[in-house]
Amino acid sequence: MSKLSIYFDVIVPIYNCEAYLERCIRSLLTSGNNCINIILVDDGSTDKSGEIADKYAAIYSNVSVIHKENGGLSSARNAGLTNVKGMYFTFVDPDDWVSENYFTSVAEELNTHEVDILMTPYSRVYSNNKLDTFVFGNKVSIFDEVETRDIVMRRLYGLINSELKHPLTIDNLSTAWAKFYKTAKFSKIKFTAKSKIYSEDLWFNINCFLKATSSEYFNKTKYYYFKENENSIVHTFNADMLSQYKRLYSQMYGYIVEYELDDNFIKALNNRIVVNELSILRNASLSNEPLNKKLKYVNKILNDEIYRTGYKNFGFEYLPSYYSIFYKFCKYKINLPVIFILYLGEKLKKKIK
């Protein structure tokens, strides 16, 4: 069997990241310069990010820059998708980086197993700590068409049964980065803005895996996800987060009906609705809003009909005890303990970092 010539388009959406951008670009160039085309999309940056991108494009023939008005992450990624030409495309965020030989290792693997989508593990990198994430264990796993839908796509929908022992892993597979997509199949699929469905990566991946006839989890290389600036995002209050998530859930349920997905998808989506309540409550509770406004919004979330329905079919028995206590406070709409637990959890999280 003759070897395939694997070439990747790497889309890097850029917005005001001058402090990290060069680290990212250098990482890409040293991890597979002979098999990648780097598309830097400057989404209306107001710092020196655009100048940095232009500098590298002037030096390297396989680096190009798109300058556009600010439109958000989905808009920037979609602009990059209009320029992909390689056999596969992937995404790298500008404050992240990849391991040595990331692209050459993946190219060698795709020469052996030409799957529609290849996934890699990643590490969450904090100032003083690093947490490895292996979604399907620390081994190579290849999925055929049925397994891609019933195992991988179902996992995107949410957690079921014993998977709920680790509720915070619900979005470990949702990211658009740390994945390689076959261009011929997926380049026409576009991202939907976060302002509409909140989790733009998740919905993009659901649409891709729905069309995929094969996939692979490849553990021999790694993506590094930089989390240094996470706290500044946490304290930005988004009063529309619940309605954005509800639009996403509605679209996910629509696919269950349209494509006749089995009961595991219904169970996974129900569990996602409940588990994601933590993120929505966290956004309100840990924001810099006054306490009376926090309480008002927390009450609105706890009393929403979507949770009254969700908790009727939620598997509390699988949760660790401390999560079970938290979600029971949510179920019975006891707001002050909910806020306190979230505040305490954030303090502990900082210590772990």
Side-chain angles (χ1 to χ4, degrees):
M1 181 177 175
S2 61
K3 292 289 186 181
L4 296 169
S5 177
I6 306 295
Y7 204 82
F8 306 113
D9 288 299
V10 185
I11 299 170
V12 184
I14 297 168
Y15 181 72
N16 289 357
C17 53
E18 62 180 13
Y20 312 111
L21 183 56
E22 292 203 69
R23 177 181 66 186
C24 174
I25 297 172
R26 287 196 299 267
S27 162
L28 304 181
L29 291 169
T30 57
S31 62
N33 190 36
N34 62 338
C35 63
I36 63 173
N37 174 49
I38 303 172
I39 304 170
L40 305 174
V41 184
D42 174 25
D43 190 38
S45 296
T46 57
D47 65 359
K48 294 182 179 179
S49 296
E51 296 175 24
I52 294 170
D54 287 337
K55 180 182 75 173
Y56 279 89
I59 299 172
Y60 296 93
S61 61
N62 63 336
V63 178
S64 60
V65 183
I66 299 171
H67 294 285
K68 61 183 289 295
E69 292 183 2
N70 180 253
L73 178 60
S74 286
S75 172
R77 285 173 170 169
N78 288 339
L81 283 171
T82 62
N83 288 268
V84 295
K85 298 174 183 177
M87 188 171 181
Y88 289 84
F89 64 88
T90 189
F91 301 94
V92 176
D93 281 354
D95 48 354
D96 299 341
W97 64 96
V98 297
S99 62
E100 187 177 357
N101 300 323
Y102 184 71
F103 295 103
T104 52
S105 295
V106 170
E108 289 172 4
E109 180 62 16
L110 288 171
N111 273 324
T112 304
H113 301 110
E114 188 194 342
V115 294
D116 285 349
I117 303 174
L118 182 143
M119 304 160 275
T120 72
Y122 57 91
S123 292
R124 291 180 170 91
V125 182
Y126 301 93
S127 2
N128 301 307
N129 198 10
K130 179 167 66 74
L131 301 175
D132 292 334
T133 301
F134 298 96
V135 182
F136 293 108
N138 192 13
K139 63 178 181 179
V140 173
S141 299
I142 299 175
F143 305 99
D144 62 21
E145 183 173 5
V146 173
E147 292 166 334
T148 294
R149 177 171 290 196
D150 292 349
I151 297 175
V152 186
M153 184 176 159
R154 197 280 303 157
R155 179 64 176 74
L156 284 167
Y157 260 70
L159 308 171
I160 60 173
N161 303 333
S162 61
E163 293 169 353
L164 283 167
K165 291 179 180 178
H166 307 284
L168 293 188
T169 66
I170 192 164
D171 279 315
N172 280 3
L173 188 60
S174 300
T175 65
W177 40 256
K179 294 178 180 66
F180 292 78
Y181 306 87
K182 187 172 282 186
T183 301
K185 274 200 171 184
F186 308 113
S187 64
K188 301 300 182 185
I189 296 176
K190 302 302 180 185
F191 285 87
T192 303
K194 183 175 183 176
S195 60
K196 295 182 178 179
I197 57 168
Y198 194 78
S199 187
E200 49 211 326
D201 286 25
L202 174 60
W203 186 239
F204 177 81
N205 275 313
I206 286 172
N207 280 279
C208 289
F209 278 96
L210 186 66
K211 293 182 62 176
T213 57
S214 60
S215 59
E216 177 178 351
Y217 185 75
F218 179 61
N219 72 327
K220 303 298 184 183
T221 190
K222 194 175 291 183
Y223 182 104
Y224 292 97
Y225 172 32
F226 188 55
K227 297 282 285 180
E228 181 76 19
N229 296 321
E230 185 190 34
N231 288 335
S232 62
I233 297 171
V234 168
H235 296 290
T236 303
F237 178 54
N238 178 3
D240 296 321
M241 187 182 289
L242 176 58
S243 59
Q244 291 162 358
Y245 264 123
K246 288 172 72 173
R247 283 193 289 270
L248 172 66
Y249 302 149
S250 177
Q251 292 178 194
M252 291 172 70
Y253 183 74
Y255 274 12
I256 292 176
V257 175
E258 181 179 353
Y259 295 99
E260 299 179 341
L261 303 177
D262 64 31
D263 288 347
N264 281 333
F265 282 84
I266 296 174
K267 185 188 296 185
L269 177 55
N270 184 84
N271 290 343
R272 170 175 284 282
I273 290 169
V274 172
V275 171
N276 275 359
E277 187 180 20
L278 185 152
S279 297
I280 302 169
L281 289 165
R282 182 170 176 257
N283 176 258
S285 300
L286 302 178
S287 71
N288 294 320
E289 298 296 320
L291 180 60
N292 64 331
K293 189 170 182 179
K294 290 182 184 182
L295 287 170
K296 181 179 178 181
Y297 192 66
V298 166
N299 284 333
K300 178 183 176 182
I301 297 166
L302 295 176
N303 284 280
D304 194 274
E305 177 62 30
I306 198 170
Y307 298 116
R308 285 199 289 271
T309 304
Y311 279 113
K312 290 178 182 177
N313 302 300
F314 185 61
F316 280 100
E317 68 273 20
Y318 297 105
L319 291 173
S321 58
Y322 42 94
Y323 283 104
S324 181
I325 292 169
F326 172 79
Y327 284 109
K328 283 181 178 176
F329 279 133
C330 294
K331 178 181 180 179
Y332 295 109
K333 308 174 187 63
I334 309 174
N335 56 18
L336 285 175
V338 166
I339 293 174
F340 175 75
I341 291 171
L342 289 169
Y343 177 79
L344 182 62
E346 191 67 14
K347 293 293 183 185
L348 292 173
K349 185 178 179 182
K350 288 180 181 178
K351 287 186 178 181
I352 292 172
K353 291 180 187 179

